Amino acid sequence: MAVSVRTFPLRCFLVPRPQPTRSQSAPSPRLPLSSAPAPCRHKNQEDNHSYYVSRLYGPSEPRSRELWVDVAEANRSQVKIHTILSNTHRQASRVVLSFDFPFYGHLLRQITIATGGFIFMGDVIHRMLTATQYVAPLMANFNPGYSDNSTVVYFDNGTVFVVQWDHVYLQGWEDRGSFTFQAALHRDGRIVFGYKEIPMSVPEISSSQHPVKTGLSDAFMILNPSPDVPESRRRSIFEYHRIELDPSKITSMSAVEFTPLPTCLQHRSCDACMSSDLSFNCSWCHVLQRCSSGFDRYRQEWMDYGCAQEAEGRTCEDFQDEYHNSASPDTSFSPYDGDFTTTSSSLFIDSLTTEDDTKLNPYAGGDGLQNNLSPKTKGTPVHLGTIVGIVLAVLLVAAIILAGIYINGHPTSNAALFFIERRPHHWPAMKFRSHPDHSTYAEVEPSGHEKEGFMEAEQC
């Protein structure tokens, strides 16, 4: 199953910037910190990016030092040096946070740290890992395996999660010196980039072998039918928002702070959603009980459940009247009479089915039906139904156990691949082919866990 990455034009905010290659810039001796490129002269430069407000602090401002998290002075039990990332090139490892981190309004508990100076915030590891859904203090072709002094460290105290790329070198540019910088994810949603040592001008860094980015990005994933195989579906990623910082402002002892702005997803009721004064066009989807602009990680559900059409020209009073009518015994059932929740911020529902088919007849067996039965026959259907139910349950459990044993023993069989491709709540891990035109990352195996399956990502 292929994964393609596209840029969604309506809500993608790009800032053009030059991308000189190494051949365009002659190497120069490493500059001491005192003679590094001059920082931005505008103090506390602030930009509004719809989803975040970014503030840039120069080396001379006290706030830049206040935002830096000194990992060396933190509780040692909360600091971990990732051994594999600290000794390899183009590797990525998943880490579970101790708190829910709000990213573009979505609560995330799992992230992926990459050696290339960024954090991947998506759920699906794909070939274009560096393209979207990232938190990038300085994405570049770093190789922590070049030096024994290079480490990738992370720190989590329940309030803030910090990743620090410490004394890392650029692949092929080792003579320019080491970089030390960090990204801090605060529990309240703030994101802070701290730069301790930037030995060269960031615009000089070549992007020919690896993208060079500083900023944030998020995207949503949708499933489209594959033209080649009608019964399969192709995952496409659409980037709906990006923040790119001016790389010339990234210098030693500078910092950038991103403060999250309200989004439609924060509203939990129809009235709050429809009366929202946000810059987004918030709409209420009654069937999902969700407020959204339609452009977030829940895009697949928004389309599958027809939320855009449902909200057209309707008010909260219309939804309330519809709810009261559907609650009457004389009306048809609603398959969403239970609480609807999602287990992750970017997992999508593959099919629109009820949780239990017995909900199709919620009133079968009520007083109206039993009054038509004679006293002699009232108990018989219940008894037979119980026996049949028990037998079916036993057979189903036995079938599941046998299927699980077979799939575990034959992970490459057609049956195993069938279930791996169609499971709605666990995306398969991917193994990549190397390609000269793409910067591919290999995922580090989680300690004590084996991957459930592999998929080859085709050329996008």
Side-chain angles (χ1 to χ4, degrees):
M1 184 177 295
V3 179
S4 63
V5 180
R6 305 177 186 176
T7 299
F8 199 74
L10 295 182
R11 289 187 175 271
C12 180
F13 300 87
L14 304 178
V15 180
R17 57 183 173 84
Q19 296 287 351
T21 61
R22 187 173 182 179
S23 60
Q24 293 173 317
S25 175
S28 60
R30 177 181 175 183
L31 298 174
L33 296 181
S34 59
S35 59
C40 174
R41 296 183 178 180
H42 300 285
K43 292 188 177 182
N44 191 13
Q45 180 177 345
E46 179 175 308
D47 292 303
N48 190 312
H49 307 281
S50 299
Y51 290 87
Y52 289 88
V53 172
S54 66
R55 296 178 178 88
L56 174 68
Y57 300 94
S60 62
E61 299 179 65
R63 182 61 176 167
S64 62
R65 290 170 172 77
E66 295 173 2
L67 293 173
W68 178 265
V69 179
D70 195 341
V71 177
E73 295 184 358
N75 187 336
R76 295 204 170 194
S77 64
Q78 300 170 338
V79 178
K80 297 182 180 179
I81 298 177
H82 201 292
T83 306
I84 298 179
L85 295 183
S86 300
N87 292 278
T88 53
H89 180 221
R90 289 191 181 178
Q91 293 280 333
S93 179
R94 302 187 187 189
V95 176
V96 178
L97 307 180
S98 65
F99 56 90
D100 291 327
F101 175 71
F103 184 65
Y104 280 88
H106 309 91
L107 296 180
L108 307 182
R109 182 58 71 98
Q110 180 176 271
I111 62 172
T112 302
I113 304 173
T115 55
F118 68 99
I119 303 173
F120 178 66
M121 308 298 285
D123 289 323
V124 181
I125 304 296
H126 50 79
R127 178 181 299 278
M128 304 296 289
L129 186 72
T130 61
T132 61
Q133 296 183 301
Y134 56 75
V135 170
L138 182 52
M139 182 191 296
N141 195 18
F142 293 108
N143 180 13
Y146 172 77
S147 172
D148 293 338
N149 294 327
S150 301
T151 57
V152 178
V153 183
Y154 63 94
F155 162 74
D156 188 347
N157 64 359
T159 303
V160 61
F161 180 89
V162 181
V163 182
Q164 181 166 313
W165 292 264
D166 195 71
H167 292 94
V168 293
Y169 292 82
L170 286 170
Q171 178 81 358
W173 293 62
E174 293 83 2
D175 59 330
R176 303 300 293 269
S178 65
F179 293 71
T180 298
F181 56 93
Q182 63 180 214
L185 310 180
H186 292 262
R187 189 166 190 163
D188 59 2
R190 288 184 301 119
I191 301 173
V192 176
F193 295 164
Y195 305 93
K196 186 175 182 180
E197 183 180 2
I198 306 297
M200 61 183 290
S201 175
V202 175
E204 291 185 64
I205 301 176
S206 171
S207 60
S208 60
Q209 299 298 321
H210 191 290
V212 179
K213 302 177 183 179
T214 55
L216 311 177
S217 169
D218 197 26
F220 57 79
M221 180 175 292
I222 62 174
L223 305 176
N224 295 318
S226 176
D228 300 329
V229 185
E231 64 272 14
S232 67
R233 289 188 286 182
R234 178 187 181 92
R235 296 189 180 107
S236 299
I237 299 177
F238 292 83
E239 181 183 64
Y240 65 89
H241 189 261
R242 179 189 296 184
I243 300 175
E244 285 195 349
L245 302 176
D246 185 349
S248 65
K249 308 293 178 61
I250 306 303
T251 62
S252 299
M253 301 312 299
S254 64
V256 181
E257 182 178 24
F258 298 91
T259 303
L261 295 172
T263 66
C264 300
L265 293 173
Q266 72 180 15
H267 298 304
R268 302 299 180 183
S269 67
C270 180
D271 291 331
C273 179
M274 302 299 281
S275 61
S276 173
D277 59 354
L278 300 179
S279 59
F280 305 106
N281 184 19
C282 298
S283 299
W284 179 254
C285 184
H286 184 66
V287 69
L288 294 179
Q289 292 292 294
R290 181 180 300 149
C291 183
S292 173
S293 64
F295 299 99
D296 52 43
R297 295 193 181 192
Y298 300 118
R299 174 70 177 179
Q300 184 72 53
E301 288 180 344
W302 194 261
M303 295 189 304
D304 287 345
Y305 287 86
C307 294
Q309 294 77 12
E310 178 191 85
E312 289 182 357
R314 305 184 70 179
T315 64
C316 295
E317 289 75 14
D318 296 333
F319 291 131
Q320 291 175 356
D321 293 340
E322 180 180 299
Y323 172 78
H324 290 308
N325 292 334
S326 63
S328 172
D330 296 330
T331 59
S332 60
F333 82 104
S334 171
Y336 308 101
D337 47 3
D339 292 336
F340 182 88
T341 59
T342 54
T343 58
S344 178
S345 62
S346 61
L347 301 183
F348 307 119
I349 304 301
D350 284 343
S351 60
L352 309 182
T353 59
T354 57
E355 181 182 356
D356 186 351
D357 288 340
T358 59
K359 292 181 181 179
L360 295 175
N361 289 312
Y363 301 104
D367 293 337
L369 179 60
Q370 291 196 11
N371 288 338
N372 295 328
L373 300 175
S374 63
K376 186 176 181 179
T377 60
K378 282 184 179 180
T380 303
V382 177
H383 179 66
L384 292 177
T386 303
I387 295 176
V388 173
I390 294 174
V391 172
L392 291 177
V394 172
L395 293 176
L396 179 61
V397 171
I400 292 175
I401 293 175
L402 292 176
I405 295 174
Y406 177 80
I407 291 174
N408 287 332
H410 304 80
T412 59
S413 65
N414 292 332
L417 295 176
F418 177 86
F419 286 106
I420 288 173
E421 292 175 0
R422 287 161 176 79
R423 54 186 174 178
H425 298 302
H426 295 281
W427 294 98
M430 292 187 178
K431 185 178 181 180
F432 311 104
R433 302 188 188 99
S434 60
H435 194 281
D437 296 332
H438 296 284
S439 56
T440 59
Y441 276 77
E443 184 183 1
V444 175
E445 289 284 356
S447 177
H449 298 279
E450 294 184 358
K451 289 185 179 179
E452 301 174 4
F454 292 95
M455 292 183 62
E456 292 288 346
E458 298 177 0
Q459 175 66 36
C460 296

